[in-house]
Each structure stands twice: as C-alpha cells, then as structure tokens.
Amino acid sequence: MKKLNSGRMILLLSLLALFSVLEIEKIKEIGRWNTMQNKTISDAEYRRDFFSREMLAEKDRLSNECIIFLENVENEVIYYPVPESTVDKSLKTSFVNGWMEERHYNGTSGHEGTDIMASKNERGIYPVVSMTEGTVTNLGWLEKGGYRVGITTESGTYYYYAHLDCYSNLKKGDRVKAGELLGYMGDSGYGEEGTKGKFAVHLHVGIYSWKNGEEISVNPYYVLKYLENKKLKYAYS
C-alpha cells in the first residue's frame, strides 16, 4: 500500500510540475503577445528588423499599425533598384546590414538606410530604377545625400535613392512605374551642390513612414534581400 501511495504521489507531483510549466509558458506567451501588440512603427526593434523572415512569420502578432505599414511595403516593392547587366557580368552589386552604423559628417549620426555598393567604382555606369510605382515628390541636391530622388507611393510610404551621378528625364510631380529609370549610381554628396568623390560609388536606399507628420525610417536591408532575385536586365557596360 505504501508503494502504491508513493507511486501516486510521484505521478501527482509530475502532473503538477507539467501543469506549472505549461502555465508559465502560457503566461510568457501572453507577455510576448502584449509586447508585440504595443509596438509602433517608431519602435527601435521594429525598425531594425523590418521585413525580416522572423517578422513576416510573426506578422499576425504585430499591432495593427505595424501590420499595415509592413503589408504596404510588401505589396509595393517589385524590383531590385539596380538592374543586372546583360553586357558585362562583372558589373555586380553587394550590400550588408549596416543599419544605424556610425556615420561622420558634420557630427556623428546613425545610418538610416542600406548602401548598395558597385563592384566597379565608377560613377554613371549602373542604372537605378524605382522599386515601386509612385510619384516623384523630391528631386535635387541634399548636402548629405547628393543628387537624390524621393518616390512616394499611394500608401504614403517614401522611398529614397541617394548619391546619384545624374538623373533620367524626371521632374517633380511625375508618376513613375516600378522598374522605371531614375538615374545612375554615383558618389555625389557630403558638400555643396556638385560635390563628388568623397566616398566609393554606391546607392543609398532609404524607406520611410510618415506618422502624424513625423518621418520614421525603417531598415531597408531585408526588403533588398527579398528583391535580390527580382532584377531587371539592362544592356550597360
């Protein structure tokens, strides 16, 4: 009888331990859910991990605000911004996740974008196309960004292309299609208008939300990874 009671006691203790673990996991899950639901577009982790596989997999856990912005970008982006050359296969591009790395020009700041680097460090060779449909809402010189184009989509998302060498035949207010030529990759910026050669040839890509008049950047790296196999083919060398 004592052995039987001992066996029952062990079983009861085991079940109690199991239920305790399950309850703790349930509480943790509720905590994770509440944390995700309280995130906004301005949340640092949301901005850093934007469009990552992990975020897309857990999209339904996000707040409505974060889901809407994520889905807007997901539905808008169609092409990688630098076409593949059909003439010279050595003309490649590359990029790394440099989100919020330090930049030093007129002080120190965090890098709010992704730099697409050119394998051939020569301005005016690589064409730059729009990743999305939209309207040209900014065109011209910025001290940091050099010659830049800003495209705003119907959702209000802003796509920023900077350090261009020159533009295509664009003007502010023009409607552009996804894949339409915006200009050519360069090394403009970090000075008065026309300044070039302060850094290697590359394209700076930025993605921004406008929330109540506030500009909020998100990390373009995972968007570009998603688009890496969606390149147009252009004849250039």
Side-chain angles (χ1 to χ4, degrees):
M1 182 64 69
K2 289 183 178 180
K3 288 184 179 179
L4 181 60
N5 288 338
S6 298
R8 286 179 177 176
M9 183 63 70
I10 292 171
L11 177 60
L12 287 172
L13 289 173
S14 298
L15 289 171
L16 180 61
L18 175 61
F19 290 139
S20 297
V21 169
L22 292 174
E23 189 63 26
I24 290 170
E25 287 303 314
K26 182 179 178 181
I27 292 170
K28 286 181 179 179
E29 178 61 23
I30 292 171
R32 285 194 290 268
W33 171 265
N34 289 334
T35 298
M36 297 288 277
Q37 286 293 302
N38 289 328
K39 287 186 183 297
T40 66
I41 293 172
S42 58
D43 180 84
E45 186 178 2
Y46 176 82
R47 294 170 64 205
R48 182 196 67 203
D49 298 335
F50 183 75
F51 217 85
S52 64
R53 288 182 179 179
E54 291 76 15
M55 180 176 288
L56 292 173
E58 294 196 333
K59 182 172 66 174
D60 293 341
R61 294 170 176 262
L62 293 170
S63 66
N64 192 52
E65 174 187 315
C66 290
I67 289 174
I68 289 172
F69 183 69
L70 180 64
E71 289 184 342
N72 284 341
V73 173
E74 189 175 15
N75 292 330
E76 289 166 351
V77 292
I78 297 175
Y79 295 118
Y80 185 76
V82 183
E84 180 181 338
S85 173
T86 59
V87 178
D88 187 347
K89 297 298 183 183
S90 72
L91 295 177
K92 298 185 180 301
T93 60
S94 61
F95 58 93
V96 298
N97 191 354
W99 178 248
M100 285 299 169
E101 287 183 350
E102 281 192 1
R103 291 292 187 269
H104 303 282
Y105 179 76
N106 288 343
T108 301
S109 59
H111 189 236
E112 297 184 18
T114 298
D115 289 337
I116 298 178
M117 307 305 296
S119 62
K120 186 173 185 178
N121 188 32
E122 186 174 331
R123 64 179 75 106
I125 293 179
Y126 293 80
V128 174
V129 301
S130 181
M131 297 184 289
T132 68
E133 292 185 0
T135 301
V136 178
T137 50
N138 278 310
L139 183 71
W141 183 265
L142 283 179
E143 185 177 349
K144 278 188 176 182
Y147 293 116
R148 63 56 164 105
V149 178
I151 306 293
T152 302
T153 61
E154 291 293 331
S155 73
T157 307
Y158 183 69
Y159 296 83
Y160 173 73
Y161 308 82
H163 305 310
L164 300 177
D165 182 58
C166 59
Y167 305 118
S168 63
N169 186 27
L170 289 177
K171 62 181 183 299
K172 197 171 178 179
D174 282 353
R175 289 284 301 170
V176 298
K177 296 179 179 179
E180 188 167 333
L181 182 67
L182 302 178
Y184 289 84
M185 195 187 295
D187 54 358
S188 62
Y190 278 29
E192 62 185 18
E193 184 166 356
T195 300
K196 295 183 179 182
K198 295 286 187 178
F199 38 73
V201 170
H202 70 279
L203 173 68
H204 172 100
V205 175
I207 301 176
Y208 296 83
S209 162
W210 286 90
K211 180 185 175 185
N212 300 323
E214 179 187 4
E215 182 182 82
I216 302 171
S217 60
V218 295
N219 187 359
Y221 174 76
Y222 297 103
V223 175
L224 293 172
K225 290 297 289 183
Y226 167 74
L227 293 174
E228 205 167 14
N229 294 321
K230 301 177 186 295
K231 295 179 182 176
L232 292 171
K233 297 183 184 297
Y234 274 35
Y236 65 92
S237 61

